Amino acid sequence: MDIIQILPQLLSTGITFGAIYALVGLGFVTIARASQIINFAQGEFVMLGGMITFFLLNKIHLPYPLAALFAILIVVIIGFLLHLLVIYPLRKASLPILLMATLGASLFLSSASALLFGTLPKALPPFSARAPFEIGNISVSPQSLWVLVAAFLTLFSLYLLSHRTLLGKAMEASSTDPLGADLTGISRNLMIFLAFGVSAGIGSVAGIFITPIFYVSYHSGILIGLKGFIAAVLGGWGKHNGAILGGFALGVLESLSVAFIPSGYKDAIAFIVLLLILYIRPKGILGSPFIDSRRW
Amino acid sequence: MVDQVHKEFRRRDLLYSGALWLLSLIIPDPQLHYRREYRFRKRDLFYLLTILLLPLIWSDPHFHHIMVLGGIHGILALGLTLFLGYAGQISLGQAAFFGIGAYTTAVLTTRYGLPSFLAFWASALTAFLFAYLIGRPILKLKGYFLALATLGFGEIFLVMVRESPRLTGGVIGIFDIPFFSFAGFIFDTYLKQYYLIWGVLMGLVLFSKNLIRSKMGRAFLAVAASEDGASAVGIDVSRIKLGVFVIGAAFAGLAGSLFASVMSTANPETFSLNLSVLIVMMVILGGMGNLYGPIAGAIFLTYLIDELSRYQEYSLPIYGVILILLLIFFPDGIGTRLRIRLIYLISYWGRKRRREKVEL
Amino acid sequence: MKKMYWVIFLAFISMTWISPGHAAKTPYKIGVNLELTGPWAEITKTLKNGMVMEVEKINAKGGINGRPLELVFEDNGFDVGRAAANMTKFTRDKEILLVVGPFEDNLQATTRAIAEREKITNLIICPSNPMVRGLKQQWAFNIAQSDIIVSQKLVDLSLARKYKKVLVFHGAWPLAQSLAENFKSFGEAKGIKVIISPETHKPIDIDMTPQLTKMKPIIQKEKVDAFYACTGGPPGPIITKNLRALGIKTPVLGTHAFGFGFIIALGGEAMEGVEFPAAKPVVFDQLDANDPVKPVNIDFDKRWKERYGTPSDQIAGYGYDITGLIEDALKRVKGKVTRASFRDAFENTKGFKGTHGIYQFSPTEHDGLSKKDMVFVRIEGGRFKRIQLPGAE
């Protein structure tokens, strides 16, 4: 049977993609845990992470680890600027305006990067050995394992940040109970500011880890951002482990779907999953700390 | 002394009050419709005459073309402002209904040879039916998640169009759609198309004006203010939301039909997320809770994008920056904020002159 | 606050008053309607640079008939409405003699219709759309190699390599689709079995492993001789990379859109051995010594390198060809230069030597290039290498 023959390979691809969606989803969750904002420019952080690393590596000729480190720093600064220049002035604005502002920021970041770095796609060298190794019938590229490691390390450090430090708790408080946070003297704006930095950092790490597998192009941010967001909603909006679970579920589902339907429909899968989960269980698989009432 | 100054009326004051009157004519007060019953006012006449005479005074095909596109965007924005501005719900899937309208017209006129006048109404009906089917499940969502669900619908629509080449021509699209014609009259030049589209738009404005003053229209505002409050006074919230959603979709379907017969092509790339975002932007910049604002926003943004074309590869970044700046400085719409500012400014000038007089 | 309003007011006034300065001699104006933003920005920018460089060269020599050329650029942002708006803007401007672009075939149908209606010459790069080709055209001319020529050339390549069965994996956009269908119809006439896979991909797909995994059993079962990656841009190297990662060793055939340096940079080692029919500028230094196109390319590449510091490519070559064709036609116009007389002169272009080949237009043939203007190329050692096959060239 053909399908059974190809399933393991599809599964392994799905897990790679799952790790990517999970990493991007974690960026969304970080901001959501500090405020109820959804940052549609999250995908652009991923794109910029890969793009700036490529630029530092090939034009300025920095060593690879240093280039990656500087790229993360630059993207974190961009994240801070995004908050200062766009989100902070609109802190009192209504939801559609915030939504449009982050979309506008996403448009600006992607087109500015097209202007600065060109629109041709760019590839980074893999971190380690080039050749894919085979396990039975499946071939796995070593970079996929790097992405998996990155996803779980990010999850672990975010877990430490939000459950073991005062800062993380303060961030969470400013989202779940804005009034209470104000009363206890937590500066909510500062918390959102920091959350944007952290989320930009996560996004750039994702970008640096996934670019060697695929490539980075100025418009690759939007779709990957949306998929990451769907992953976060699927797993449970606002939960770190939810984003990881949702990411893997979405990646595997998308990849396996190709075995049964023509691949042209592949991009619709994520959105059909999104509509279904929003209709059947808006809380997501693991439940959400922010969505408690029957309507939201 | 002071009393005397206040009683004094000078020609200059006439100028200031005239300026204020002109301002109220050009930039509408969004609060007006809450207060008064609808009737044909001077402002409506002013707009009507401007729209009718403008293409004759400024007879430039490029201007006509921009206004044709602006009018189509205006119909889309008008449909969305009922949903976003009045009922307070956000939709990022308006481009899909636009596409459904365009493809209905394209398929009916090129494959089945239906007259475009019938295809025009069929487009609205198809968009209406699709909106009814998907509106039921997704309208129970709110805020960001409603935006996301409608966005998802838009993406699914695009995939479906690409993957059913027999019906929609797939990625290639449909070409050679005949121009809109009615009773043997073909709208083939930009000037004719201008009057066609703005005529349709005027009809829809009239419809919307009556709608928002009807019982249903008042219910929109109640739902936007508080869903719990609205259901407490006996409004069927989900029905109202569905109603305004399908009306907006039918408007988008009409716009799509007109777009297909003006551009004579239908192609999946046209109906992407970018268009949905653009329409929401038009409504926000035009001012929510206001019928003329979004149309003005549509013309403004269409014109802006066209003007930016000359900056070549810088056009997109400049556009992004302009959008963010407009959102930051005019969060409740350019017209609304500008009106407040201008009123303040005009009256400030008036007061200043008086103060100088008093000091003398 | 008041000052701010003044600033805005002044900015507005100055924006409306800015107008281009008048030259001593009225130039021939050429409207250029390109996708300068969006996914094709880099490629259209190369085209723009090529045209700018050539126009400056012509103007430095004193222009044509003593009048300079002037390019008017408008960005259409990959949008039908904006492309049509730019087109009407150009047709309204009576000084504009002809319009170049758009680049992408989705937009060409609309602009062509406007060109026919408003009677202005429209030069089109990358024609492909079968439905567009079906339309009667009087005012539109195709510059680049059409998909028919590419497909015929590819059939020749498969015959020379003795491929009996070819699996086609095509992209979900008009050009790729039409390339795949043409290859099937021409190939089957010559006895090659062509299997078009129902799987497709999109230009923004970053990974093709799922689709290729599904095709792997077909490749093994049917014993396919060659795999035709019928695509353009980044998907090309992605497909080859994923194919090799899955352990499939079947030879890969590509389209003419593989002839860019970035394709090799993206694909790396996986691209070794890929063969495709290419335009002559891709391997201009390896052309036959007596090829009339070779000196044109060498001269153009030298000037391009001096000015932009990078090697020229096939798209830059189109910039040369378009400007050269316009210059050639303008020189041949008898009497007053109008839109109509320019079109007639352009239609009678015979034997213009461009970088891509020798252009021939006639009232019945609006495609300038022919099958002779393409060569076969193989990627070897990270470079494009021309191959000559017996009986195919």
Side-chain angles (χ1 to χ4, degrees), chain C residues 7 13 17 21 50 54 59 74-75 90 110 140 155 159 168 187-188 215 277 282 334 358 375:
Chain C
V7 170
I13 293 290
W17 277 359
E54 288 310 301
N59 289 347
E74 293 274 352
D75 166 34
F90 287 140
T110 312
V155 170
L159 285 175
V168 184
E188 295 198 330
M215 277 186 234
V282 176
K334 291 186 182 68
I358 297 168
V375 290

PDB file of all heavy atoms in Angstrom, chain C residues 7 13 17 21 50 54 59 74-75 90 110 140 155 159 168 187-188 215 277 282 334 358 375:
ATOM      1  N   VAL C   7       2.962  73.549   8.154  1.00  0.00           N
ATOM      2  CA  VAL C   7       3.896  72.607   7.525  1.00  0.00           C
ATOM      3  C   VAL C   7       3.143  71.671   6.605  1.00  0.00           C
ATOM      4  O   VAL C   7       3.529  71.447   5.448  1.00  0.00           O
ATOM      5  CB  VAL C   7       4.675  71.826   8.604  1.00  0.00           C
ATOM      6  CG1 VAL C   7       5.458  70.697   7.960  1.00  0.00           C
ATOM      7  CG2 VAL C   7       5.611  72.756   9.344  1.00  0.00           C
ATOM      8  N   ILE C  13       1.037  71.842  -0.847  1.00  0.00           N
ATOM      9  CA  ILE C  13       1.198  72.733  -1.996  1.00  0.00           C
ATOM     10  C   ILE C  13       2.400  72.300  -2.834  1.00  0.00           C
ATOM     11  O   ILE C  13       2.328  72.169  -4.051  1.00  0.00           O
ATOM     12  CB  ILE C  13       1.392  74.191  -1.510  1.00  0.00           C
ATOM     13  CG1 ILE C  13       0.103  74.693  -0.853  1.00  0.00           C
ATOM     14  CG2 ILE C  13       1.796  75.104  -2.648  1.00  0.00           C
ATOM     15  CD1 ILE C  13      -1.032  74.911  -1.812  1.00  0.00           C
ATOM     16  N   TRP C  17       2.843  70.986  -6.801  1.00  0.00           N
ATOM     17  CA  TRP C  17       3.539  71.816  -7.765  1.00  0.00           C
ATOM     18  C   TRP C  17       4.767  71.176  -8.354  1.00  0.00           C
ATOM     19  O   TRP C  17       5.330  71.670  -9.314  1.00  0.00           O
ATOM     20  CB  TRP C  17       3.905  73.157  -7.117  1.00  0.00           C
ATOM     21  CG  TRP C  17       2.747  74.102  -7.165  1.00  0.00           C
ATOM     22  CD1 TRP C  17       1.541  73.865  -7.717  1.00  0.00           C
ATOM     23  CD2 TRP C  17       2.680  75.416  -6.623  1.00  0.00           C
ATOM     24  NE1 TRP C  17       0.715  74.936  -7.556  1.00  0.00           N
ATOM     25  CE2 TRP C  17       1.387  75.896  -6.882  1.00  0.00           C
ATOM     26  CE3 TRP C  17       3.602  76.229  -5.951  1.00  0.00           C
ATOM     27  CZ2 TRP C  17       0.988  77.166  -6.483  1.00  0.00           C
ATOM     28  CZ3 TRP C  17       3.194  77.489  -5.560  1.00  0.00           C
ATOM     29  CH2 TRP C  17       1.906  77.966  -5.819  1.00  0.00           C
ATOM     30  N   GLY C  21      11.345  69.057 -14.778  1.00  0.00           N
ATOM     31  CA  GLY C  21      11.870  70.193 -15.511  1.00  0.00           C
ATOM     32  C   GLY C  21      11.833  69.940 -17.015  1.00  0.00           C
ATOM     33  O   GLY C  21      11.911  68.801 -17.467  1.00  0.00           O
ATOM     34  N   GLY C  50      18.784  47.826 -16.331  1.00  0.00           N
ATOM     35  CA  GLY C  50      19.247  47.596 -17.692  1.00  0.00           C
ATOM     36  C   GLY C  50      18.736  48.668 -18.627  1.00  0.00           C
ATOM     37  O   GLY C  50      19.484  49.223 -19.446  1.00  0.00           O
ATOM     38  N   GLU C  54      20.941  51.625 -20.674  1.00  0.00           N
ATOM     39  CA  GLU C  54      20.932  51.724 -22.136  1.00  0.00           C
ATOM     40  C   GLU C  54      20.418  53.078 -22.593  1.00  0.00           C
ATOM     41  O   GLU C  54      20.938  53.649 -23.548  1.00  0.00           O
ATOM     42  CB  GLU C  54      20.082  50.599 -22.728  1.00  0.00           C
ATOM     43  CG  GLU C  54      20.737  49.237 -22.634  1.00  0.00           C
ATOM     44  CD  GLU C  54      22.166  49.260 -23.151  1.00  0.00           C
ATOM     45  OE1 GLU C  54      22.363  49.613 -24.319  1.00  0.00           O
ATOM     46  OE2 GLU C  54      23.068  48.934 -22.368  1.00  0.00           O
ATOM     47  N   ASN C  59      21.309  58.442 -24.944  1.00  0.00           N
ATOM     48  CA  ASN C  59      21.236  59.893 -24.785  1.00  0.00           C
ATOM     49  C   ASN C  59      22.618  60.535 -24.825  1.00  0.00           C
ATOM     50  O   ASN C  59      22.771  61.658 -25.302  1.00  0.00           O
ATOM     51  CB  ASN C  59      20.533  60.247 -23.473  1.00  0.00           C
ATOM     52  CG  ASN C  59      19.052  59.927 -23.552  1.00  0.00           C
ATOM     53  OD1 ASN C  59      18.530  59.673 -24.639  1.00  0.00           O
ATOM     54  ND2 ASN C  59      18.373  59.931 -22.422  1.00  0.00           N
ATOM     55  N   GLU C  74       6.438  53.567 -13.324  1.00  0.00           N
ATOM     56  CA  GLU C  74       5.335  53.503 -12.358  1.00  0.00           C
ATOM     57  C   GLU C  74       5.337  52.103 -11.770  1.00  0.00           C
ATOM     58  O   GLU C  74       5.510  51.120 -12.486  1.00  0.00           O
ATOM     59  CB  GLU C  74       3.984  53.764 -13.038  1.00  0.00           C
ATOM     60  CG  GLU C  74       3.809  55.169 -13.555  1.00  0.00           C
ATOM     61  CD  GLU C  74       3.290  56.139 -12.508  1.00  0.00           C
ATOM     62  OE1 GLU C  74       2.923  55.716 -11.403  1.00  0.00           O
ATOM     63  OE2 GLU C  74       3.260  57.341 -12.822  1.00  0.00           O
ATOM     64  N   ASP C  75       5.127  52.021 -10.484  1.00  0.00           N
ATOM     65  CA  ASP C  75       5.084  50.726  -9.814  1.00  0.00           C
ATOM     66  C   ASP C  75       3.638  50.252  -9.774  1.00  0.00           C
ATOM     67  O   ASP C  75       2.751  51.013  -9.411  1.00  0.00           O
ATOM     68  CB  ASP C  75       5.629  50.897  -8.392  1.00  0.00           C
ATOM     69  CG  ASP C  75       5.311  49.714  -7.513  1.00  0.00           C
ATOM     70  OD1 ASP C  75       5.290  48.585  -8.034  1.00  0.00           O
ATOM     71  OD2 ASP C  75       5.074  49.923  -6.312  1.00  0.00           O
ATOM     72  N   PHE C  90      -0.654  56.378 -18.518  1.00  0.00           N
ATOM     73  CA  PHE C  90       0.266  56.512 -19.648  1.00  0.00           C
ATOM     74  C   PHE C  90      -0.468  56.863 -20.929  1.00  0.00           C
ATOM     75  O   PHE C  90      -0.009  57.691 -21.706  1.00  0.00           O
ATOM     76  CB  PHE C  90       1.042  55.210 -19.848  1.00  0.00           C
ATOM     77  CG  PHE C  90       2.097  54.969 -18.804  1.00  0.00           C
ATOM     78  CD1 PHE C  90       2.302  53.703 -18.289  1.00  0.00           C
ATOM     79  CD2 PHE C  90       2.883  56.003 -18.345  1.00  0.00           C
ATOM     80  CE1 PHE C  90       3.271  53.479 -17.332  1.00  0.00           C
ATOM     81  CE2 PHE C  90       3.855  55.786 -17.388  1.00  0.00           C
ATOM     82  CZ  PHE C  90       4.044  54.521 -16.875  1.00  0.00           C
ATOM     83  N   THR C 110      -5.277  42.465 -18.770  1.00  0.00           N
ATOM     84  CA  THR C 110      -5.976  43.736 -18.615  1.00  0.00           C
ATOM     85  C   THR C 110      -5.263  44.855 -19.349  1.00  0.00           C
ATOM     86  O   THR C 110      -5.890  45.636 -20.076  1.00  0.00           O
ATOM     87  CB  THR C 110      -6.095  44.081 -17.124  1.00  0.00           C
ATOM     88  OG1 THR C 110      -6.572  42.929 -16.447  1.00  0.00           O
ATOM     89  CG2 THR C 110      -7.049  45.208 -16.905  1.00  0.00           C
ATOM     90  N   ALA C 140       0.199  44.736 -29.029  1.00  0.00           N
ATOM     91  CA  ALA C 140       1.067  44.130 -28.021  1.00  0.00           C
ATOM     92  C   ALA C 140       2.126  43.271 -28.696  1.00  0.00           C
ATOM     93  O   ALA C 140       1.837  42.540 -29.643  1.00  0.00           O
ATOM     94  CB  ALA C 140       0.232  43.285 -27.075  1.00  0.00           C
ATOM     95  N   VAL C 155      11.581  19.314 -25.210  1.00  0.00           N
ATOM     96  CA  VAL C 155      11.312  18.028 -25.846  1.00  0.00           C
ATOM     97  C   VAL C 155      12.560  17.569 -26.601  1.00  0.00           C
ATOM     98  O   VAL C 155      12.956  16.401 -26.524  1.00  0.00           O
ATOM     99  CB  VAL C 155      10.095  18.132 -26.792  1.00  0.00           C
ATOM    100  CG1 VAL C 155       9.946  16.880 -27.631  1.00  0.00           C
ATOM    101  CG2 VAL C 155       8.836  18.381 -25.993  1.00  0.00           C
ATOM    102  N   LEU C 159      14.649  14.147 -25.978  1.00  0.00           N
ATOM    103  CA  LEU C 159      14.910  13.191 -27.061  1.00  0.00           C
ATOM    104  C   LEU C 159      16.396  12.904 -27.159  1.00  0.00           C
ATOM    105  O   LEU C 159      16.814  11.753 -27.302  1.00  0.00           O
ATOM    106  CB  LEU C 159      14.395  13.747 -28.389  1.00  0.00           C
ATOM    107  CG  LEU C 159      12.883  13.726 -28.587  1.00  0.00           C
ATOM    108  CD1 LEU C 159      12.517  14.415 -29.891  1.00  0.00           C
ATOM    109  CD2 LEU C 159      12.349  12.301 -28.575  1.00  0.00           C
ATOM    110  N   VAL C 168       6.193  15.242 -14.508  1.00  0.00           N
ATOM    111  CA  VAL C 168       6.176  16.704 -14.400  1.00  0.00           C
ATOM    112  C   VAL C 168       5.568  17.115 -13.067  1.00  0.00           C
ATOM    113  O   VAL C 168       4.473  16.671 -12.718  1.00  0.00           O
ATOM    114  CB  VAL C 168       5.369  17.339 -15.555  1.00  0.00           C
ATOM    115  CG1 VAL C 168       5.448  18.851 -15.480  1.00  0.00           C
ATOM    116  CG2 VAL C 168       5.879  16.850 -16.881  1.00  0.00           C
ATOM    117  N   GLY C 187       5.599  16.654 -26.350  1.00  0.00           N
ATOM    118  CA  GLY C 187       6.350  15.447 -26.029  1.00  0.00           C
ATOM    119  C   GLY C 187       5.649  14.201 -26.528  1.00  0.00           C
ATOM    120  O   GLY C 187       6.269  13.303 -27.095  1.00  0.00           O
ATOM    121  N   GLU C 188       4.340  14.130 -26.340  1.00  0.00           N
ATOM    122  CA  GLU C 188       3.637  12.919 -26.741  1.00  0.00           C
ATOM    123  C   GLU C 188       3.580  12.787 -28.246  1.00  0.00           C
ATOM    124  O   GLU C 188       3.523  11.676 -28.770  1.00  0.00           O
ATOM    125  CB  GLU C 188       2.254  12.884 -26.085  1.00  0.00           C
ATOM    126  CG  GLU C 188       2.454  12.783 -24.580  1.00  0.00           C
ATOM    127  CD  GLU C 188       1.263  12.326 -23.801  1.00  0.00           C
ATOM    128  OE1 GLU C 188       0.137  12.606 -24.248  1.00  0.00           O
ATOM    129  OE2 GLU C 188       1.481  11.713 -22.740  1.00  0.00           O
ATOM    130  N   MET C 215       5.129  11.386  -4.475  1.00  0.00           N
ATOM    131  CA  MET C 215       5.497  11.029  -5.845  1.00  0.00           C
ATOM    132  C   MET C 215       6.551   9.936  -5.891  1.00  0.00           C
ATOM    133  O   MET C 215       6.714   9.301  -6.918  1.00  0.00           O
ATOM    134  CB  MET C 215       6.049  12.267  -6.553  1.00  0.00           C
ATOM    135  CG  MET C 215       4.988  13.155  -7.105  1.00  0.00           C
ATOM    136  SD  MET C 215       5.805  14.429  -8.015  1.00  0.00           S
ATOM    137  CE  MET C 215       5.129  15.823  -7.261  1.00  0.00           C
ATOM    138  N   PRO C 277      16.776  24.174 -20.891  1.00  0.00           N
ATOM    139  CA  PRO C 277      16.997  25.073 -22.010  1.00  0.00           C
ATOM    140  C   PRO C 277      17.087  26.492 -21.479  1.00  0.00           C
ATOM    141  O   PRO C 277      16.283  26.875 -20.632  1.00  0.00           O
ATOM    142  CB  PRO C 277      15.744  24.893 -22.872  1.00  0.00           C
ATOM    143  CG  PRO C 277      14.706  24.396 -21.950  1.00  0.00           C
ATOM    144  CD  PRO C 277      15.379  23.727 -20.797  1.00  0.00           C
ATOM    145  N   VAL C 282      22.650  33.581 -20.480  1.00  0.00           N
ATOM    146  CA  VAL C 282      23.053  32.807 -19.312  1.00  0.00           C
ATOM    147  C   VAL C 282      24.468  32.262 -19.486  1.00  0.00           C
ATOM    148  O   VAL C 282      25.249  32.213 -18.536  1.00  0.00           O
ATOM    149  CB  VAL C 282      22.044  31.656 -19.082  1.00  0.00           C
ATOM    150  CG1 VAL C 282      22.487  30.783 -17.927  1.00  0.00           C
ATOM    151  CG2 VAL C 282      20.661  32.210 -18.820  1.00  0.00           C
ATOM    152  N   LYS C 334       9.347  56.737 -40.631  1.00  0.00           N
ATOM    153  CA  LYS C 334       9.433  57.749 -41.676  1.00  0.00           C
ATOM    154  C   LYS C 334       8.413  58.832 -41.353  1.00  0.00           C
ATOM    155  O   LYS C 334       7.274  58.549 -41.032  1.00  0.00           O
ATOM    156  CB  LYS C 334       9.143  57.137 -43.038  1.00  0.00           C
ATOM    157  CG  LYS C 334      10.242  56.205 -43.483  1.00  0.00           C
ATOM    158  CD  LYS C 334      10.006  55.711 -44.892  1.00  0.00           C
ATOM    159  CE  LYS C 334      11.099  54.744 -45.301  1.00  0.00           C
ATOM    160  NZ  LYS C 334      11.026  53.484 -44.536  1.00  0.00           N
ATOM    161  N   ILE C 358      18.128  37.006 -32.198  1.00  0.00           N
ATOM    162  CA  ILE C 358      17.800  37.886 -33.314  1.00  0.00           C
ATOM    163  C   ILE C 358      16.291  38.040 -33.375  1.00  0.00           C
ATOM    164  O   ILE C 358      15.567  37.051 -33.520  1.00  0.00           O
ATOM    165  CB  ILE C 358      18.383  37.320 -34.612  1.00  0.00           C
ATOM    166  CG1 ILE C 358      19.912  37.306 -34.457  1.00  0.00           C
ATOM    167  CG2 ILE C 358      17.978  38.166 -35.793  1.00  0.00           C
ATOM    168  CD1 ILE C 358      20.620  36.541 -35.506  1.00  0.00           C
ATOM    169  N   VAL C 375      19.735  27.812 -25.878  1.00  0.00           N
ATOM    170  CA  VAL C 375      20.770  26.777 -25.830  1.00  0.00           C
ATOM    171  C   VAL C 375      20.483  25.853 -24.651  1.00  0.00           C
ATOM    172  O   VAL C 375      19.649  26.160 -23.798  1.00  0.00           O
ATOM    173  CB  VAL C 375      22.175  27.393 -25.673  1.00  0.00           C
ATOM    174  CG1 VAL C 375      22.588  28.101 -26.934  1.00  0.00           C
ATOM    175  CG2 VAL C 375      22.211  28.323 -24.480  1.00  0.00           C
TER     176      VAL C 375
END
